[in-house]
Amino acid sequence: QVQLVESGGGLVQAGGSLRLSCAASGRTFAMGWFRQPPGKEREFVSAISGGGSDTKYADSVKGRFTISRDNAKNTMYLQMNSLKPEDTAVYYCAARRGLLATSNSQYDYSYWGQGTQVTVSS
């Protein structure tokens, strides 16, 4: 069983930046970030393979967000730049069980963090 803990959320003005972290209790394989805007369903943001060489992004964040990981620290990051009010959401990190390949489907992830709130003011 892997436990995931997100941190780094907060309130920021439009155009600002935040860096989210996701600390895992043990080794993880492919990981991803998802978000749930107010009143909407959870959606894919970004994913990274177990080795870190393959990444995926939702079109809405491509060019603004960067996903990375440090396997020596069992930690994944999401650098968010040029934030927009529509990026406001609870952000969740997730990890796949025993699989290295990335996925943009939440149903492919077995472990989830508790979420961290990101609020972007206009």
Side-chain angles (χ1 to χ4, degrees):
Q1 188 77 9
V2 175
Q3 293 183 330
L4 304 174
V5 179
E6 303 98 336
S7 61
L11 173 64
V12 64
Q13 289 188 331
S17 298
L18 283 174
R19 188 194 197 202
L20 304 184
S21 298
C22 174
S25 61
R27 181 190 177 190
T28 55
F29 298 87
M31 299 183 73
W33 289 98
F34 292 78
R35 67 186 182 186
Q36 187 165 17
K40 298 183 179 180
E41 295 187 351
R42 189 158 57 186
E43 62 185 26
F44 169 74
V45 175
S46 184
I48 189 166
S49 60
S53 60
D54 183 36
T55 58
K56 294 184 189 296
Y57 295 94
D59 288 343
S60 59
V61 306
K62 204 170 291 183
R64 300 187 297 121
F65 290 11
T66 302
I67 192 171
S68 62
R69 65 188 299 163
D70 184 339
N71 286 343
K73 296 181 179 180
N74 291 330
T75 302
M76 176 179 66
Y77 306 96
L78 186 68
Q79 178 67 43
M80 305 186 294
N81 298 329
S82 302
L83 283 161
K84 304 175 181 180
E86 50 264 44
D87 294 318
T88 294
V90 177
Y91 283 71
Y92 298 90
C93 71
R96 302 190 74 183
R97 182 186 299 163
L99 293 170
L100 298 175
T102 58
S103 172
N104 61 2
S105 171
Q106 61 180 311
Y107 302 106
D108 288 337
Y109 291 83
S110 300
Y111 306 108
W112 291 84
Q114 82 288 351
T116 185
Q117 176 70 45
V118 172
T119 303
V120 184
S121 63
S122 58

